[in-house]
Amino acid sequence: MRVLPFLPLAVLLLLAAWFGAALLRGHDEAPPSALLDKPLPPAIAAALGPLPARPLLVNVFADWCAPCAAEHPQLMALAPDIPLYGIAWKAPEPALSAWLQQRGDPYARRIADLDGRLGLELGITGVPETFLLDAAGRVRARHAGPLDAATAAELRRMAGGGS
Amino acid sequence: MKAAALALALGLAAAPALALDAGEQLADPAQEARARALGRELRCPVCQAGNIDDSAADLARDLRRLVRERIAAGDSDAQVRAALQARYGDFVLLEPPLRTDTLILWGAPLLLLIGAGTLLVLRQRRQPVAPPPPALDDEERAALARLDP
């Protein structure tokens, strides 16, 4: 039986299976961060100030952002174990402080990014966005979108597993 | 009828709606033109399927401003692209860069075309040529003569 005539059909079925699997996976992945395995950009390091030499999270957020509110409990749960450094993206006072006062403040330190420049330096695709840094200060992971329990657990694992 | 034709012509002539507003534009028209051209080459990180000039997203506006600031500061087009690539990776360029690791991406369509073409040519060659029909014998020649004198 000649195989060649069936090749286009086979290719089509393979593509269909591949696309179907990707579609059914559900969430949209942002492309890998350009900062992976690199230290924080100088502008960010300068703005955040000295950071402890241990795994930590940099979280870009805003008070007007609904997914940020959704992930907030996860941040509160992570804060005692992994220090959180917050960058408030285009979030002016006093609304920002009021929002944190109402929900709780998980951040060891919080800086303002009123015009969005710091966000651009980090290459964010929106808010919220969370970066995991290892003890050497290199970016190990970037999660675009709100943290869910599974992602928070994964971040714990990556942070706790030593670096 | 004329009104309809005029309306159609005007509609087709209308420039695509950009998300840029007048306040964003650089004073120097040459620099603004460069900024627009670069804007068309850069992917909006939010929408991912369009460029930053067309996108109404906040981030797109920030990126447009960044592009213009760099141009005004004297950066070349290549430097502006590099600055964005440093922050957002290759994905921010709508046209993937040509490098050794992207050669497959660029070459694949051409390779597929050549591959398919080669397959077709080989199939053509391998097909046995049909033998010529045997020559007409006397009976058939007589029948032919009767039909077509």
Side-chain angles (χ1 to χ4, degrees):
Chain A
M1 185 171 94
R2 292 199 2 258
V3 170
L4 208 57
F6 290 94
L7 205 55
L9 181 61
V11 170
L12 179 64
L13 287 174
L14 270 169
L15 281 175
W18 182 17
F19 291 164
L23 276 170
L24 291 172
R25 221 186 300 138
H27 59 275
D28 276 330
E29 296 280 346
S33 167
L35 299 179
L36 281 178
D37 291 334
K38 300 203 183 101
L40 287 174
I44 304 287
L48 279 175
L51 295 173
R54 54 176 291 195
L56 53 91
L57 292 166
V58 175
N59 175 254
V60 188
F61 75 105
D63 55 296
W64 43 260
C65 147
C68 303
E71 74 166 3
H72 190 269
Q74 295 297 336
L75 294 178
M76 294 298 287
L78 282 167
D81 307 317
I82 313 177
L84 278 156
Y85 291 80
I87 301 183
W89 190 75
K90 303 197 177 178
E93 296 289 1
L96 176 65
S97 289
W99 189 82
L100 284 169
Q101 212 148 41
Q102 198 181 33
R103 287 174 169 71
D105 187 344
Y107 301 109
R109 198 183 305 150
R110 186 179 92 232
I111 61 173
D113 180 19
L114 284 172
D115 59 4
R117 277 173 205 284
L118 295 179
L120 284 187
E121 289 291 322
L122 284 169
I124 64 169
T125 59
V127 279
E129 211 154 292
T130 308
F131 297 80
L132 173 69
L133 272 70
D134 64 14
R138 280 186 317 257
V139 175
R140 276 272 160 269
R142 180 270 291 267
H143 182 80
L147 295 179
D148 56 9
T151 317
E154 177 64 16
L155 286 173
R156 263 184 214 280
R157 193 192 60 78
M158 291 180 75
S163 41
Chain B
M1 182 57 204
K2 258 177 107 177
L6 184 62
L8 181 63
L10 282 174
L12 290 172
L18 296 174
L20 273 160
D21 57 44
E24 291 182 27
Q25 296 182 27
L26 290 169
D28 180 340
Q31 286 184 336
E32 177 60 24
R34 276 177 61 202
R36 294 274 186 100
L38 275 168
R40 279 193 292 272
E41 293 174 28
L42 296 166
R43 187 189 307 271
C44 168
V46 182
C47 347
Q48 297 194 3
N51 64 45
I52 58 173
D53 275 0
D54 291 338
S55 169
D58 241 17
L59 264 173
R61 182 149 22 96
D62 291 350
L63 284 169
R64 288 197 298 265
R65 185 185 61 198
L66 181 64
V67 166
R68 281 164 178 74
E69 280 174 5
R70 297 215 143 235
I71 291 181
D75 277 8
S76 70
D77 284 4
Q79 281 170 316
V80 178
R81 261 182 236 118
L84 275 139
Q85 260 176 297
R87 293 164 173 81
Y88 282 94
D90 288 345
F91 197 58
V92 79
L93 300 173
L94 278 166
E95 197 171 273
L98 186 59
R99 285 199 308 258
T100 41
D101 58 337
T102 58
L103 266 176
I104 294 184
L105 182 62
W106 279 98
L110 188 62
L111 283 173
L112 275 172
L113 197 61
I114 294 177
T118 311
L119 269 171
L120 280 171
V121 167
L122 287 175
R123 280 194 72 208
Q124 202 76 328
R125 294 242 186 94
R126 230 184 302 134
Q127 263 172 15
V129 180
L136 298 174
D137 63 21
D138 293 344
E139 230 181 75
E140 287 166 338
R141 240 184 304 210
L144 183 61
R146 255 178 280 131
L147 288 166
D148 189 12

